[in-house]
Amino acid sequence: MTPVDLSAAERLRVLRDVLGPLVAQGAIVRRPAVMAWAERRQSDRRLIGTLADLRHRHGGAPLVVRLGPRSIVLVSRPDDVARLLQGTPTPFSASTREKSAALGQFVPHGVLISSAAAREVRRPVNEAALDTGRAVHGDAELITKVVDREAEQLLSDARERGSLDWPAFTDAFQRCVREITLGPAARDDVALTSMLTALRRAANWSYLHPRRRRLRQELDARLHLYARGAPPRTLLGRAIARAEEDGTTTVADPAGQVGHWLFAFDAAGITVFRALAVLLSRPEDRDRVRAEGEDPSSDTTLPFTRACVLETVRLWPTTLVVLRESTEPTAWGGRELPAGTGFAVASAFFHRDRERLDFADAFTPGAWLDGRAADDWGIVPFSGGPAVCAGRDLVLLVASRWLTRLAAGDLSFDRSVYLARQALPVTVDHYGLRFRADGARGESSQPEEVAAG
Ligand code: HEM
């Protein structure tokens, strides 16, 4: 369809309801105070409503938003999403100006912000490390052992304290991630994660924040040190082996990919924590996850638990917006858009599209088991096409294992009524989730109503 230019009033609405809240929440690391505000306001509801309204008004045409010299085109139909994602890296590059400026703060050689030529070298190295395309990672046995150990320790600490909150969970999750990625020597390297978090905070401002060069060099030096002694059965060890095999070590820069992996695992942790809240609110689903985790024949594929993870990231996507930038002029209906045009897919709008999806707001893991969700170009929590998340399969392995372990613990959720509803809230602040660990192998405890929803 031919793109339409938004009027000044429509542009303001998009800035206020769509782009503003996305930037405020923090694209690279979420800001806790804004997340709490966003949950109270259910800010994604306005985003969804505004985009649905503009789609109606303009018959599904791509919406051109002029922002000074730059134009961003918001698409509102799944076939346009498919065109952008399948057309990556040319004519639609994943390395947009905003993303390059942001990720350049901590992972300047990352595959996601690489030129088409460098991508050809770096993508296979990422795929070898993460075992992309294989449901069960080659080192799954080792990986799941690490998960089990950390989850058990976390549950035991939680029982002692009487509760499990985000800070305790993320500390344990990051210990697990560092060990899987870099080896046992990195398990307790909290300073590494802190460095990365500081760089990610700067990255939230994209090109509006000056480069923190010294800190990035420190991070780089630390990662290269790990690279020297990386055990072969770690993500970094696997990446190094593949780059050596391909003779591409200099361009591929295996240690230079690690920043993206550590950063992206944060999204996996957020998803586990939200999924846990949902499961503790829905005893039937929780019991199915527990049973799957206890059944030796369900091995590491855990289909229902994986579907719960996917469904959680559909309902609350961690990549708020997928961006592309055209590398050449592209034809859209009767109009040509110049090279350098930005394109945006607002995930929450597509994932909660009531006009297209009869399960838009409902927790429906079954949609991932019967193909309804997986085959839909409007449902892209891990993106799609040639630059699809290279860590998708690994995330599902790690997250589902964590979930079975935590679901089997003696946890309960006081706000369970909030997530037991048929129509789930559009914004959930993971920082604010807190579970009780009082020893009663949790039937849901007395619910407490909250304002949002
Ligand atoms: C819930 C967890 C995660 C979600 C929802 C997620 C989602 C995504 C999305 C949407 C993209 C595309 C971004 C874009 O086009 O701008 C992406 C790219 C990528 N992700 Fe993930 N991701 C997750 C975790 C991970 C993890 C843990 C790793 C590595 C260990 C990882 C590795 C990558 C890589 C390497 C890319 C770049 C792929 C390329 O450009 O070819 N992701 N991810």
Side-chain angles (χ1 to χ4, degrees):
M1 288 185 86
T2 304
V4 292
D5 293 305
L6 294 190
S7 68
E10 289 172 330
R11 197 168 62 217
L12 275 179
R13 259 185 94 188
V14 167
L15 283 175
R16 187 194 60 198
D17 299 340
V18 181
L19 302 178
L22 291 185
V23 173
Q25 281 182 44
I28 306 296
V29 61
R30 299 290 185 271
R31 299 182 175 98
V34 182
M35 281 306 296
W37 171 87
E39 181 178 293
R40 278 197 305 278
R41 292 281 306 266
Q42 288 294 293
S43 65
D44 282 348
R45 195 183 295 152
R46 272 180 98 150
L47 175 153
I48 294 165
T50 293
L51 288 177
D53 184 39
L54 290 172
R55 175 174 60 187
H56 258 292
R57 244 192 237 189
H58 299 291
L63 309 164
V64 182
V65 191
R66 286 202 190 287
L67 301 166
R70 178 124 167 97
S71 286
I72 301 272
V73 179
L74 282 160
V75 295
S76 64
R77 290 169 28 149
D79 54 344
D80 287 337
V81 177
R83 181 176 174 198
L84 292 172
L85 301 184
Q86 288 175 324
T88 303
T90 41
F92 301 113
S93 172
S95 177
T96 69
R97 261 168 265 184
E98 297 78 10
K99 236 188 286 178
S100 296
L103 298 186
Q105 284 279 13
F106 61 96
V107 58
H109 295 164
V111 60
L112 186 55
I113 54 166
S114 295
S115 66
R119 160 174 290 279
E120 273 186 34
V121 169
R122 290 173 181 156
R123 175 83 195 187
V125 166
N126 274 272
E127 289 193 355
L130 310 173
D131 227 354
T132 313
R134 282 187 63 191
V136 180
H137 190 280
D139 294 327
E141 210 181 308
L142 199 69
I143 291 171
T144 51
K145 262 191 199 139
V146 177
V147 172
D148 291 354
R149 191 191 65 220
E150 295 300 340
E152 198 183 310
Q153 180 66 50
L154 177 68
L155 281 173
S156 140
D157 293 349
R159 277 192 287 271
E160 238 168 68
R161 274 201 309 267
S163 68
L164 171 62
D165 59 9
W166 172 257
F169 169 73
T170 194
D171 282 354
F173 193 79
Q174 293 301 332
R175 274 196 294 277
C176 162
V177 164
R178 285 190 299 266
E179 182 161 344
I180 291 170
T181 307
L182 303 166
R187 176 182 183 268
D188 295 314
D189 192 352
V190 178
L192 177 74
T193 304
S194 304
M195 260 182 218
L196 188 67
T197 306
L199 288 167
R200 288 171 59 194
R201 284 206 189 98
N204 264 351
W205 297 98
S206 189
Y207 38 64
L208 298 178
H209 198 291
R211 282 284 154 97
R212 297 198 59 183
R213 286 184 205 287
R214 176 128 12 120
L215 189 56
R216 189 179 65 67
Q217 280 161 3
E218 272 178 51
L219 176 75
D220 219 34
R222 214 170 174 105
L223 290 175
H224 279 90
L225 210 61
Y226 279 117
R228 271 191 232 149
R233 292 173 70 201
T234 54
L235 303 184
L236 180 55
R238 294 172 69 98
I240 291 170
R242 176 58 190 259
E244 280 172 0
E245 204 179 300
D246 292 354
T248 58
T249 302
T250 312
V251 178
D253 187 11
Q257 306 303 312
V258 171
H260 186 122
W261 306 340
L262 296 176
F263 140 71
F265 262 123
D266 202 16
I270 293 171
T271 302
V272 170
F273 217 51
R274 284 177 174 151
L276 180 63
V278 173
L279 291 178
L280 295 179
S281 310
R282 294 164 181 260
E284 225 174 89
D285 291 329
R286 180 205 57 200
D287 289 347
R288 243 181 114 175
V289 165
R290 279 180 177 172
E292 208 169 57
E294 284 161 11
D295 176 2
S297 68
S298 74
D299 65 35
T300 32
T301 56
L302 305 172
F304 180 72
T305 314
R306 283 183 186 222
C308 290
V309 172
L310 285 162
E311 185 59 354
T312 303
V313 82
R314 174 186 74 82
L315 287 163
W316 300 288
T318 51
T319 305
L320 305 175
V321 61
V322 178
L323 297 172
R324 291 291 180 265
E325 188 170 297
S326 54
T327 54
E328 56 194 60
T330 52
W332 295 80
R335 188 169 168 186
E336 188 177 86
L337 296 173
T341 301
F343 294 86
V345 178
S347 314
F349 165 66
F350 280 99
H351 292 189
R352 297 281 193 132
D353 189 348
R354 288 186 197 159
E355 283 171 33
R356 289 196 333 102
L357 308 170
D358 56 11
F359 56 93
D361 293 313
F363 186 68
T364 317
W368 293 96
L369 298 170
D370 63 21
R372 270 177 297 165
D375 298 341
D376 190 320
W377 275 101
I379 303 180
V380 285
F382 289 93
S383 185
V388 66
C389 174
R392 182 183 187 275
D393 304 293
L394 177 62
V395 167
L396 294 180
L397 173 84
V398 171
S400 61
R401 189 75 176 199
W402 265 96
L403 206 48
T404 56
R405 293 302 173 260
L406 296 181
D410 304 327
L411 300 169
S412 56
F413 183 38
D414 284 345
R415 292 159 69 201
S416 60
V417 69
Y418 177 48
L419 297 179
R421 293 176 188 147
Q422 178 66 10
L424 286 162
V426 288
T427 312
V428 167
D429 169 22
H430 58 282
Y431 293 116
L433 295 174
R434 189 185 176 88
F435 308 109
R436 277 211 271 145
D438 49 16
R441 186 173 166 162
E443 290 319 307
S444 299
S445 54
Q446 268 310 95
E448 172 196 309
E449 196 57 84
V450 293

